Amino acid sequence: MSEITNEQRRHSAAHLMARAVMNVFEDVAVDIGPATDDGFYYDFDLPHRISTDDFPKIEAEIKRLIELDEPFVKKVVSRAECEQMLKGQKYKLERLADIPQGEDISTYTVGDYVEMCRGPHVEKSSQIGVVKLTRVAGSYYRGDEKNKMLQRVYGIVAKDQAELDAIIAREEEARRRDHRVLGRELELFTITDSVGPGLAHWLPKGARIRVAIEDYWRKKHYEAGYEIVYTPHVGRANLWQTSGHLGFYKEGMFPPMKVSEGEGEGAYVEEYYVKPMNCPFHIQIYQAKKRSYRDLPMRMAELGTVYRYEKDGVRHGLFRVRGFTQDDAHILCTPEQIVKEIKDTVNFAKAMLGKFGFHDIQAYLSTKPEKAVGDPERWEQATASLRAALEEEGLSYEVDEGGGAFYGPKIDMKIKDALGRPWQLGTVQFDFNLPERFDLTYVGADGKDHRPYMVHRALLGSIERFFGILIEHYAGAFPLWLAPEQIRILPISDKAMDYAKKVQAALRAAGFRVDIDISAEKLGAKIRLATVQKVPYQVVVGPRDEAAGVISARSRTDGDLGAMKTEDLIARLKAEIEA
């Protein structure tokens, strides 16, 4: 028997949880229950309101079902057979209706429970291991808020109790690092109902970190030969029709704004959409004048804010929002330049992610699907250039055969955070579609028009999501160069306030973010507060320090540093940032 994978355990546990809930409660209708990256869930519709108080009895029933050691039996059935097997389960029957006529219908049966499913599963229930339920939440049927709200129960599974204990410990640590909680406690960002769900406000401390990220981003892009551009937040409907977004992506866009244009008899109504992506705007910049092969490669980068209609049940803190800023870039080049451009881009992504502390990078190369646009030779060259870049940079990668978009192959880069969780960040995506749709050309050395290669590229993804990942990766204790408040000065009393301001001015002049605790609290309380708020350095000053021309410094990582000159602390801080 082959080794059992996590996906098999998770998927099989989801089936048993659905069976257990149906055994424990009455009038249960089930919808879907997939495996996830860290566990599984299942959506239920039943009169009883499931709560964490119900988890012990559900878990006990799951344990009983596991111990029955029943096989998971796969069977391919006809549509009529499947309808009979799922009789009375309205959500399952609706899902069955989505399957195209003539397509095989795969089912799995364990005991008296049958599920329309492609697998994979364990061979028998005893191989699942140990299951624990973690939380329950609401989820609209099919993700549409117009539909009924179902109850989504989440769980985790492990091969034995020791592994489960380790998973639970990681889950508890993940909750401790939750960016939504730390964002509130450390006063980094807020999302309010008054403005709208999924629309984040960057508070002053969070904004300081964003500025540090963006300043570094801009500096490195200029060094890499990119030109930074700015584009509008809205565009006419015909732009999005040409790009194909209205045909393929309209459900993810906000409704249009209707605007009256012209006057008198020539007046008409025009529709404008807030942009879900930046690419059509960058194409407009490329088309602002006729381009020659001598102008290429043309590298455009933008911290462009876009808007997407993310529905209820999908939004999650900063990880999934409705308004976010992409670190977006597009490269237009000749076929001869493409290999070098891709290699440089992969190297750029690797260096950028490394700066933020992410060195464990796994790449995924997605190749041509069955239905694709573009010249087959271009697909081959594009795929070869992506593969060569990954191998030259020594990046570990997996190939997803046929997993590319219809408009081009791509590389996705995933990093692992401090808890070992994978996050997709960098993307390098070829596009053979938009150059055709917008009829992009350049004049070659032969004097004739040629079609340029176009590459979409992101290094960090969105600034909001990346910030959320950083918060959780560092548990809010940001490295010195990113910390919103790098140094906090703690005057012993009001008599030391003037000296505190003098020290603050010297540190600010050296380029550091410095605040003074002006409260009337005692020194011990000030130190505790600075520690809780994860300030990297504390500087204590009093009349004696002023008389001696020194400060008393304390590091978040190294503890008490003793008395030193302000210039000595500056030298230490600069060395730490360089390192």
Side-chain angles (χ1 to χ4, degrees):
M1 184 182 67
S2 59
E3 184 178 353
I4 299 168
T5 66
N6 285 333
E7 183 182 5
Q8 287 174 305
R9 292 184 193 281
R10 293 165 182 169
H11 202 166
S12 304
H15 281 218
L16 252 63
M17 178 175 72
R19 185 182 176 192
V21 170
M22 294 178 77
N23 289 348
V24 171
F25 302 106
E26 296 180 350
D27 300 325
V28 178
V30 293
D31 183 24
I32 57 171
T36 64
D37 288 341
D38 55 4
F40 61 90
Y41 69 79
Y42 219 107
D43 289 346
F44 301 99
D45 182 7
L46 68 159
H48 176 77
R49 186 71 177 173
I50 299 175
S51 72
T52 54
D53 292 338
D54 298 311
F55 285 0
K57 57 187 174 185
I58 299 173
E59 289 169 348
E61 178 63 8
I62 294 172
K63 184 174 184 292
R64 185 185 74 83
L65 295 174
I66 287 173
E67 291 173 349
L68 290 177
D69 199 22
E70 295 172 318
F72 279 78
V73 181
K74 181 177 181 179
K75 185 179 180 182
V76 177
V77 299
S78 68
R79 185 175 296 271
E81 286 178 293
C82 194
E83 287 175 351
Q84 186 61 34
M85 295 166 80
L86 300 175
K87 188 176 180 180
Q89 286 293 330
K90 62 177 182 178
Y91 298 111
K92 291 294 185 186
L93 291 171
E94 287 182 22
R95 298 282 185 178
L96 175 61
D98 293 340
I99 299 176
Q101 292 290 334
E103 188 171 313
D104 287 343
I105 300 170
S106 172
T107 65
Y108 274 87
T109 301
V110 56
D112 59 358
Y113 180 76
V114 63
E115 176 75 275
M116 182 173 58
C117 177
R118 294 186 181 278
H121 288 285
V122 297
E123 293 180 4
K124 48 188 181 178
S125 60
S126 63
Q127 296 169 334
I128 290 175
V130 186
V131 174
K132 181 174 179 59
L133 305 186
T134 56
R135 61 191 177 97
V136 61
S139 174
Y140 288 111
Y141 176 53
R142 293 181 181 267
D144 189 340
E145 63 265 34
K146 295 178 183 177
N147 292 332
K148 186 171 184 178
M149 175 77 79
L150 306 182
Q151 300 183 64
R152 177 169 291 179
V153 180
Y154 291 85
I156 54 178
V157 62
K159 62 184 179 183
D160 53 36
Q161 189 62 45
E163 184 180 73
L164 183 66
D165 290 342
I167 292 172
I168 292 171
R170 286 198 299 271
E171 291 278 327
E172 290 174 351
E173 179 62 17
R175 284 192 289 274
R176 190 180 73 82
R177 292 170 179 253
D178 190 321
H179 74 282
R180 295 166 298 180
V181 175
L182 290 175
R184 180 178 64 253
E185 291 177 351
L186 301 178
E187 300 178 2
L188 301 174
F189 72 93
T190 186
I191 297 174
T192 70
D193 289 336
S194 298
V195 173
L199 299 170
H201 295 70
W202 293 73
L203 302 179
K205 288 183 179 180
R208 286 181 177 185
I209 299 175
R210 177 167 176 162
V211 168
I213 294 170
E214 292 188 355
D215 284 352
Y216 177 76
W217 186 92
R218 291 187 183 94
K219 176 177 181 290
K220 289 301 177 182
H221 276 75
Y222 278 130
E223 289 176 2
Y226 286 77
E227 290 297 336
I228 293 175
V229 298
Y230 295 89
T231 59
H233 288 239
V234 299
R236 283 178 165 173
N238 62 6
L239 176 73
W240 305 109
Q241 288 166 347
T242 303
S243 70
H245 286 95
L246 283 181
F248 296 105
Y249 197 72
K250 190 172 183 178
E251 286 189 1
M253 299 171 67
F254 276 93
M257 298 173 284
K258 296 184 183 296
V259 178
S260 297
E261 303 276 23
E263 296 180 358
E265 293 182 359
Y268 61 98
V269 174
E270 185 82 62
E271 288 188 343
Y272 283 79
Y273 287 86
V274 291
K275 63 178 179 179
M277 298 178 186
N278 299 301
C279 26
F281 294 90
H282 290 189
I283 286 173
Q284 302 305 303
I285 293 174
Y286 179 86
Q287 291 182 311
K289 69 176 186 178
K290 187 72 173 177
R291 303 290 176 180
S292 160
Y293 72 97
R294 297 179 185 275
D295 299 321
L296 305 181
M298 184 175 179
R299 308 181 192 97
M300 290 173 282
E302 178 180 14
L303 291 167
T305 301
V306 297
Y307 303 89
R308 298 180 186 174
Y309 183 60
E310 300 289 6
K311 298 179 180 179
D312 289 342
V314 175
R315 297 187 303 274
H316 179 77
L318 293 179
F319 291 158
R320 200 77 178 261
V321 288
R322 285 180 167 175
F324 57 93
T325 301
Q326 289 181 312
D327 78 311
D328 215 353
H330 293 89
I331 301 169
L332 291 122
C333 64
T334 69
E336 295 76 22
Q337 295 166 334
I338 192 62
V339 173
K340 182 179 185 304
E341 289 302 309
I342 294 298
K343 288 180 181 178
D344 289 349
T345 300
V346 170
N347 185 55
F348 193 8
K350 189 177 173 184
M352 178 71 73
L353 295 173
K355 173 68 176 178
F356 291 94
F358 302 115
H359 302 285
D360 187 348
I361 303 173
Q362 174 71 37
Y364 296 83
L365 172 61
S366 299
T367 62
K368 185 179 179 181
E370 288 186 16
K371 295 181 180 180
V373 299
D375 185 344
E377 290 186 7
R378 285 199 164 198
W379 270 90
E380 289 180 14
Q381 184 186 15
T383 305
S385 65
L386 293 174
R387 191 186 302 271
L390 291 171
E391 292 177 352
E392 187 165 305
E393 289 304 316
L395 277 179
S396 170
Y397 72 96
E398 296 178 13
V399 178
D400 180 11
E401 293 291 353
F406 75 92
Y407 51 83
K410 65 174 180 173
I411 293 173
D412 288 326
M413 298 183 197
K414 289 186 178 181
I415 55 91
K416 285 187 178 179
D417 67 9
L419 297 182
R421 298 173 300 181
W423 300 92
Q424 183 181 319
L425 293 178
T427 297
V428 184
Q429 170 76 67
F430 272 89
D431 191 335
F432 301 127
N433 183 47
L434 289 183
E436 292 288 338
R437 282 181 170 270
F438 284 94
D439 192 25
L440 301 187
T441 61
Y442 67 91
V443 179
D446 58 2
K448 298 178 180 179
D449 282 348
H450 298 269
R451 189 78 72 204
Y453 274 61
M454 182 175 182
V455 176
H456 303 260
R457 190 240 64 193
L459 304 181
L460 307 179
S462 86
I463 299 300
E464 283 77 5
R465 179 171 176 269
F466 184 67
F467 185 43
I469 292 169
L470 284 177
I471 293 171
E472 297 196 0
H473 178 63
Y474 289 111
F478 299 100
L480 181 62
W481 79 279
L482 278 178
E485 184 182 2
Q486 295 169 314
I487 309 149
R488 184 176 296 180
I489 301 175
L490 313 176
I492 290 176
S493 66
D494 287 347
K495 294 179 180 179
M497 194 62 70
D498 288 342
Y499 185 49
K501 292 178 181 178
K502 181 180 177 181
V503 173
Q504 180 188 44
L507 291 168
R508 281 184 171 175
F512 296 105
R513 297 183 285 276
V514 191
D515 293 327
I516 300 174
D517 186 336
I518 60 173
S519 71
E521 295 289 342
K522 293 184 178 180
L523 180 60
K526 291 182 178 182
I527 291 174
R528 283 193 297 275
L529 180 62
T531 302
V532 168
Q533 294 181 342
K534 306 179 190 292
V535 181
Y537 282 87
Q538 301 170 24
V539 169
V540 177
V541 294
R544 291 183 181 179
D545 299 300
E546 182 176 14
V550 297
I551 56 176
S552 297
R554 181 178 181 82
S555 163
R556 184 177 64 200
T557 55
D558 298 332
D560 188 9
L561 303 178
M564 62 175 66
K565 296 284 188 181
T566 302
E567 51 265 35
D568 293 334
L569 177 61
I570 290 171
R572 176 190 171 97
L573 297 176
K574 288 183 175 179
E576 183 174 330
I577 288 175
E578 285 299 316

